Each structure stands twice: as C-alpha cells, then as structure tokens.
Amino acid sequence: MSASHPVIRRWFWLLGLALALLLGVAAAATTVAELQRRKAEEQIATVNGSAQQSRLALQIALLAQDIARTADSRDQARMRVAADRLAELHRRLVDRAQTLGPAARELVAFYNTDEVALEFTLQRFISQAHILSMLPATMLKPGRIEMQAIADSYPRLLAALDAETAAWQHYEERLHRELGHMQMLELLLFAAVIVAIALLVFRPMLRSLREHMGALEDLNTTLERRVAERTAVAEARARELVQSEAALRESDARIRGILENVADMVITVDGWGRIESFNPAAERGFGYSAAEATGSDVSMLLPDSPGGAGGMQLLRRLAGPEGEQHGIALNEMTARRKDGSQFPVELAVGRVRLGGRQLMIGTLRDISARRESEDRLRHAKEDAIAANRAKSQFLANMSHELRTPLNAIIGFSEILEKEMFGPLGVPTYADYARDIHQSGEHLLAVVNDILDLSRIEAGRMELSDLEVDLGELIAACLRMVSVRAEEREVEIVTDLRCLPLAVRCDMRSVKQALLNLLINAIKFNKRGGRITIRASLEADGWLELAVIDTGIGMDPADIPSALTPFVQINSSLSRSYEGTGLGLPLAKSLIELHGGRLQLESALDVGTTATLRLPPDRIIAQAEKPPQAAAVNG
C-alpha cells in the first residue's frame, strides 16, 4: 500500500499534528524556563549589589579614619568615588524594587516602612563623605564634625543595609520556589500531552494499520499470481526469439565485425578500394555525407600516403598479408576533409570476410587536439623555464639591492649599541640598538641564503675548488656553533675516524652546507640533547659527513617538503621555531654543485640524521692515523 493511500495519508497528517503540538509545548516550556532563569540571574545580580553597599560603607568609614590620620588627597578621591558608587547602587535598588510590581510585595513593603530611616541615614552618610572629600588638607584635623558624623552613623547605616540585603535575599528565595513550581507544572503538562497523543493518535493508528495488513496480504497474493502468468508469456516469447535468431546471424556477424574495430571514424572498403560504409563519426570528421562517400575511392580521404602508395595499397600494406595473425597497429598520417583542409589522424586497418568477399575496415582517430595539447605543453614548459630563470634573476638582483641598506643598518646600530660617539642617555636606546643589530644580521643572513639559492638555480654559482683539510673545516664549523649549543645545553660529539683527510671543494660552500645542518640540529634539539658529527669513507669510495641529533625529528613522509625552498614542516613542535625554510634546500643545492648528495633520515620524537656525501673524485689524500673519537661539550 503506497503512502498516497487515503488511510495512510490521514494518519500521517495526524502524526504530524501530534508532533507539532509536542514540539510547540516543548518550545513554550523551554521559553518560560529561559525567561525564569534570566529573571533569577537578574535578581542574583541585584542581591549582590545590595550586599556591595555594605562593603562601600565600610570602605568610606575606613577612609575617613585614614584621612584624619594622614590628610592624603588620594584617600579623599577614593572616598568621593566610593560615595558616588554607594549612591548609585542605592538608587538602582530602589528603582528595581519599584519595577517588580505585585510579585515583590514584601520587598516593596520594606521600602515603604523603612525607607525614611534608610534613606535619611544613607543620604546623611554620603553627604558627610562628600564634604570630607572636598575639604582642603589644612582643614583635615582629627575630631572634625564630618568625621565624627560618619563614625556615628556607620553602625545605623550598616544595620539598615543588612536589613535591605536580607529583604532582597528573602525575595530571591521566594522567586526560586516559584521557578521550581513553574518547572514542575511544565513537566506535568509535557507528560499529559505525550499521554494524550499516545491515546488519541498512536493507539487508533496501530489498530487501523492491523486492519489493513489483511488487505495487503490479499493484494500480495494477487500480484504473485499475475507475475506467474506474465512469466509464462515471456518464456513463450523468448522461444520465438530463439527461432528467429538464425535468420539474423549473417547480418549480426557483419555488424559485430564493424563494432569490434570501432575507435572513432570507421570506413569499410571493398577489394577495389571503393568505400562501402561510412559511419556518422566519419561524416562529422571528413565533412562528407554517407551518400557522398559511398562508392568513392578511398584515396580522396588519404591523399598523401607514405611512399606515394594509393589509398587501397596503403590499407593492404597496413593490414598485412592475408591469412597471417598480427596485432592491429596505429599509424599516424594526414587525412583530408571535404573542404580540402588536412588534419592528423591515427589509422588502424583490419580485414573481415563476408560471404566470400574480403573487406578492409579502417578505423581513424582525429589527433588534432592531442597535437595541440602537446604543443601547448611544450610551450608551457618553455615559459615555465623562462619564468623560473627570471625569478632567480629577480631574487639575485633584489638580494644585491637589499644587502647595501642592511649593511648600513647593521653598522649604525652597532655604533649606537657600543656608544662610540658618547652615551645615549637612556639605557633602553641601547637595548633597541642591540635588537636592530641582531634583526639586521638575521635578515642579512636570510638575504644571503636567498641570493645563494637564486644564483645556484640560475646556474651562476661558480665553485673555487681548493685543497681543504676536512678536520680544519669541521673544527671551524664547531667553533661557530659552540655558543649556540651552550645556550641550548646541547652536547656535540665528534666521530672522525677517517681523518686526516683532504678534499677538493669550494670551502665556503661546503662549510655553509655543514653549518646549516648543525644549526638545524641545535635548533630542533631538546634541551640537554646530543649531536654527533661523523666523518667516514664508505665502501663505495664516497665521503660521508653525517650530523645526527636526538631532537624532535619529523615524519618520513615530510622529508621531500623539508627539502623544498621556503617550506617548513607543519607540526605542533617544529612550527614553534623561527626560520625561512632555506637551510636544508640550500645545503642540498650546494652539495649537489660538487656532484654530491644530501640524504635525510628521521622519525618523530627520535631524531634526524642529515648526511652530506661527496664523490670519490673529490677525495685527495688520506694519511695513516689510528681511529679517534672526541667530544665537544656544548
């Protein structure tokens, strides 16, 4: 039975109305509860304001004693502010009580019966405080009438304020009880609505559905009988189709042979080179209609056959000797449309024999779009190479332009920091000059890194190959990072078993690459961590300089990103460290200029191993010396 049945439709309406009523009651109850909650919160704030009056009165009394003793004008100002605040709080409470109406009869009665005593005492107390706060210091003597009046009226005022606070608290308790009663009534109303819906909607609906189940079962039986009858008719028709299948086999074989070779444009040619069939894709591709092409020579479609062969000879040659099994190959050539324009195609040729006749089936695919795409990709690649070259040239020029003002900033800030031409007067200026100097040096280092990287990308970095002592190079790097290691409490250990050893390299480039690895190892290490510098000759003849740290490490999947310029790994640990993301890419580029490689191995919370590898032709000499290991405490 569908949902459009009148009975089901009626119960759907009743169910919707019941749910709407239930939601309406729930929304009303929620709204009332929210209003009551907000009213209770306002009342709590009012009670707190009433209690705050006592604290302000006490503050005024204590300030009066301090003024009598010290005659301090600041105490007078504080007394004036406290008196104004006390008057404002009292005015708000009185206004609040007037707006509550009949719901706060007891509170209003308090103000009607005791308002004169409370108002008189409070106003007298506030006025004496104002007078005392305005007197000049010469008149502030112990025993003044205003001080005595404040001291005498404070106990009466405190008692009146306590009574006022008690009245507000009593009203708050009554309000909470009313709120509880209201919530109980809301729950009872909600339960009554649910029970009413269950009795008036769901119970009759279930009874009606049970009554219609029998009708559904009868309908199902009828449908099954009809399906059986129609199945018998379908089987009889299937037998008729099997009997007529034999008459369609010859035609089906021809259609199947064509469909199996279809790629895009399909033409069928007889043994004399005349076109017999021309599919719709061929009509769109060549511009001929099937009627125009049928009976014409295939050479009009393939005018410039390779080797000067005619169209039919070309098809036979591409199809191969008759009777031999071979795969169908795609051949690129030029075809001609009806309007005389030529376009590139891929041609595949196959043979099929029907009723003693041999037909050639040619399948052609227009590859004009692919050729254009290849041309666009080639031009885009050339444009990208030119843009990258222009970018590198721009970075190089920009870095040169930035270095001159940066050197001036660093020099002048150093003069200010050291006060070469006299003291600055304010110590803060020296701190500012030191910050400017450090920031300028940091920015100059970044500019130098960008300049080096851009020069490498532009192919303008020239190496000055010299014979360099590996031990001296490592020692120089350790001296440059020792202070930074001490600040981070990182221990540096050396394992230089292949020394003494000389290499042929550009000392500045290799030194900078090793320094970048050491600085990263210190920066991303844990306080009290350890760094090991290992130099070794491998079995393949390559020299390895490995920097091994016990720092935060990285996910192995992030290593390619770490070797990309201006990219930093986005992790909760590494993102807390400053940097431009040029250290590792620059080290990689510098070592690759020497024919070497940079290898990274890392794991999160384990550490990182960064290895510089130099090829054997860079190694000059190695002297005999027993293995050694040294430690440098950083």
Side-chain angles (χ1 to χ4, degrees), residues 372-624:
E372 293 176 359
S373 177
E374 291 173 354
D375 292 340
R376 286 195 299 269
L377 288 175
R378 184 176 66 257
H379 293 315
K381 181 179 179 182
E382 294 173 355
D383 293 342
I385 293 173
N388 186 58
R389 189 180 300 112
K391 180 264 296 181
S392 299
Q393 183 64 35
F394 168 75
L395 288 176
N397 295 337
M398 180 198 68
S399 301
H400 277 296
E401 292 297 329
L402 289 176
R403 290 171 71 177
T404 300
L406 277 176
N407 286 327
I409 292 172
I410 294 171
F412 288 133
S413 62
E414 187 174 3
I415 291 174
L416 293 174
E417 178 186 356
K418 296 181 179 179
E419 299 181 351
M420 293 183 179
F421 298 111
L424 297 176
V426 181
T428 306
Y429 290 162
D431 295 336
Y432 290 163
R434 187 180 307 108
D435 293 339
I436 294 172
H437 184 263
Q438 293 175 355
S439 300
E441 288 185 335
H442 174 72
L443 184 55
L444 182 59
V446 172
V447 170
N448 287 334
D449 287 346
I450 295 175
L451 177 59
D452 289 341
L453 193 61
S454 62
R455 288 172 60 193
I456 293 172
E457 290 181 350
R460 296 171 54 188
M461 175 71 80
E462 296 181 359
L463 300 180
S464 299
D465 285 343
L466 299 173
E467 183 176 340
V468 178
D469 183 270
L470 184 61
E472 293 180 359
L473 187 147
I474 296 175
C477 292
L478 291 178
R479 285 194 298 271
M480 297 178 69
V481 300
S482 59
V483 175
R484 187 175 303 195
E486 290 175 359
E487 292 175 352
R488 294 282 298 172
E489 299 179 8
V490 175
E491 179 187 14
I492 301 180
V493 177
T494 58
D495 182 8
L496 312 176
R497 301 184 181 183
C498 66
L499 296 185
L501 184 68
V503 294
R504 181 176 54 82
C505 66
D506 185 294
M507 183 174 182
R508 189 189 72 84
S509 299
V510 177
K511 183 178 179 181
Q512 183 176 358
L514 183 57
L515 273 175
N516 287 352
L517 300 185
L518 286 171
I519 290 172
N520 273 359
I522 294 173
K523 180 170 66 173
F524 296 109
N525 214 323
K526 304 169 184 175
R527 189 166 294 277
R530 182 186 181 97
I531 298 175
T532 302
I533 302 177
R534 185 178 63 212
S536 61
L537 279 174
E538 300 302 307
D540 56 3
W542 285 64
L543 170 65
E544 288 193 353
L545 290 175
V547 178
I548 308 167
D549 66 67
T550 59
I552 61 175
M554 70 181 85
D555 193 317
D558 292 331
I559 289 178
S561 298
L563 294 174
T564 303
F566 303 104
V567 174
Q568 286 186 318
I569 305 305
N570 187 16
S571 69
S572 59
L573 293 176
S574 63
R575 289 304 296 168
S576 61
Y577 299 91
E578 64 176 9
T580 60
L582 290 176
L584 288 176
L586 184 57
K588 177 176 178 290
S589 299
L590 289 173
I591 206 66
E592 287 178 350
L593 284 177
H594 291 77
R597 294 193 296 271
L598 171 62
Q599 296 177 346
L600 284 182
E601 298 177 3
S602 186
L604 285 174
D605 297 324
V606 175
T608 302
T609 298
T611 305
L612 298 176
R613 302 192 78 223
L614 288 173
D617 58 0
R618 291 281 178 180
I619 301 171
I620 297 176
Q622 181 181 18
E624 293 293 334

Side-chain angles (χ1 to χ4, degrees), residues 56 59-60 63 77-87:
L56 290 172
Q59 181 182 358
I60 293 173
L63 286 172
R78 284 193 287 271
M79 174 179 284
R80 185 161 53 252
V81 173
D84 293 339
R85 179 60 179 162
L86 180 59

Side-chain angles (χ1 to χ4, degrees), residues 100-123:
L100 293 178
R105 289 187 299 272
E106 297 178 2
L107 187 61
V108 174
F110 166 78
Y111 279 105
N112 291 335
T113 56
D114 197 38
E115 183 179 7
V116 175
L118 174 60
E119 185 74 20
F120 175 77
T121 305
L122 182 63
Q123 293 300 329

Side-chain angles (χ1 to χ4, degrees), residues 4 13 20 61 125 150 152 162 192 213 239 255 385 418 473 514 572 579 587:
S4 61
W13 276 105
F125 188 81
I150 290 175
D152 293 342
D162 289 343
M213 286 298 296
R239 288 191 294 270
I255 296 174
I385 293 173
K418 296 181 179 179
L473 187 147
L514 183 57
S572 59

Side-chain angles (χ1 to χ4, degrees), residues 131-205:
I131 294 172
L132 188 59
S133 67
M134 300 297 291
L135 290 176
T138 56
M139 300 180 63
L140 297 175
K141 305 291 185 179
R144 280 195 63 88
I145 187 171
E146 291 85 359
M147 298 178 184
Q148 188 62 36
I150 290 175
D152 293 342
S153 60
Y154 172 71
R156 294 192 301 275
L157 176 61
L158 183 61
L161 292 176
D162 289 343
E164 181 187 28
T165 302
W168 279 105
Q169 289 177 343
H170 183 69
Y171 173 69
E172 180 187 359
E173 293 173 358
R174 183 170 173 270
L175 187 64
H176 275 293
R177 288 194 300 272
E178 292 177 355
L179 178 60
H181 294 159
M182 180 66 70
Q183 291 175 343
M184 183 61 68
L185 289 175
E186 291 171 354
L187 291 176
L188 292 176
L189 178 60
F190 194 70
V193 171
I194 293 177
V195 172
I197 291 174
L199 293 177
L200 299 177
V201 177
F202 287 105
R203 184 177 178 184
M205 182 174 65

Side-chain angles (χ1 to χ4, degrees), residues 298-331:
V298 72
S299 299
M300 74 175 186
L301 305 178
L302 304 172
D304 300 327
S305 304
M312 189 59 191
Q313 288 79 2
L314 172 64
L315 296 180
R316 287 175 177 171
R317 181 170 62 82
L318 295 179
E322 185 178 359
E324 292 187 4
Q325 297 293 332
H326 60 281
I328 297 180
L330 294 175
N331 303 272

